[in-house]
Amino acid sequence: MRVINEDRIAAKGGFPTHPHHDMEIISYIVSGSLAHRDSLGNVETIGRHGVQRFTAGTGITHSEFNPSATEPTHLLQIWILPEQQGLTPSYEQKVFEPADYPGEWVKVASRDASDGSVLIHQDAELYTTVLAPGEQRIYTLKPDRHAWVQVVKGEISLNGHRLDARDAAAVSQEEKLLLDSEPGAEVLLFDLA
């Protein structure tokens, strides 16, 4: 994982056309909506709980903007280095409604696009979950795997350590991750090699 940018885009604001190459770029929409246009001919808009992924590969140009005249857009944009350079550029997007997966970790991105997730070209999996007030969630890491836990909203206790919205924790040499949330929370978890 290279970077996680937290972006807030004002109504009718955005990023003009710009290039990328040799990067897996995932946008996770926290609120509002995001319109995307790229050099592959994709013209798409995605809203809350949407996940947008593109493989920049040999090169792609794109623009992103908030199509609303009144509401801001809040998103996390994640950059992951691909397993190999020179991949064919591609794009996809999906919506993962938490109400459809109560009490679960929802896989939203993976190397094999399993469980309906979007495809990334790296040995990594990205999960999201929404915890109701007072709810717990457990995640088990396989040996020699690492995790990055990003609190999107609310607050959690992660193995006894408090994390608030916008906080994150890098985790290694732990088998189980226990998340508790008294007020409720929305969390992203990266399972990494």
Side-chain angles (χ1 to χ4, degrees):
M1 187 167 55
R2 174 57 63 104
V3 72
I4 299 178
N5 292 321
E6 182 173 15
D7 295 320
R8 296 178 189 270
I9 306 172
K12 293 295 184 187
F15 304 101
T17 301
H18 57 282
H20 292 283
H21 66 87
D22 292 321
M23 193 66 64
E24 301 292 294
I25 300 176
I26 302 165
S27 295
Y28 179 85
I29 311 304
V30 179
S31 63
S33 58
L34 183 69
H36 168 96
R37 179 183 301 263
D38 65 39
S39 54
L40 301 177
N42 297 298
V43 179
E44 302 282 349
T45 300
I46 194 161
R48 175 148 168 72
H49 299 299
V51 174
Q52 172 196 89
R53 183 277 309 166
F54 65 92
T55 295
T58 56
I60 190 171
T61 59
H62 78 121
S63 63
E64 295 172 317
F65 67 94
N66 178 352
S68 174
T70 57
E71 300 296 321
T73 297
H74 179 196
L75 67 114
L76 297 177
Q77 191 171 81
I78 300 130
W79 292 18
I80 296 174
L81 291 169
E83 293 176 299
Q84 62 184 26
Q85 295 187 346
L87 294 167
T88 300
S90 61
Y91 174 88
E92 68 179 312
Q93 68 179 39
K94 293 184 178 181
V95 175
F96 299 90
E97 276 298 334
D100 296 339
Y101 309 93
E104 294 182 34
W105 289 103
V106 182
K107 188 186 299 183
V108 299
S110 66
R111 181 192 226 173
D112 60 2
S114 58
D115 302 324
S117 61
V118 299
L119 176 71
I120 54 174
H121 298 91
Q122 185 52 268
D123 184 7
E125 294 180 339
L126 171 57
Y127 295 85
T128 185
T129 194
V130 174
L131 290 88
E135 193 173 13
Q136 290 186 336
R137 195 83 73 246
I138 294 173
Y139 186 86
T140 302
L141 280 173
K142 293 178 181 169
D144 299 320
R145 300 290 292 183
H146 311 277
W148 179 272
V149 178
Q150 182 80 40
V151 182
V152 178
K153 290 183 173 181
E155 63 184 59
I156 64 169
S157 169
L158 171 62
N159 290 1
H161 300 279
R162 181 185 161 142
L163 298 173
D164 294 322
R166 304 176 75 191
D167 287 345
V171 181
S172 292
Q173 298 179 344
E174 292 281 350
E175 180 184 348
K176 290 200 183 299
L177 306 181
L178 174 62
L179 285 72
D180 283 293
S181 182
E182 285 304 319
E186 183 173 354
V187 177
L188 292 179
L189 184 146
F190 297 81
D191 186 322
L192 307 165

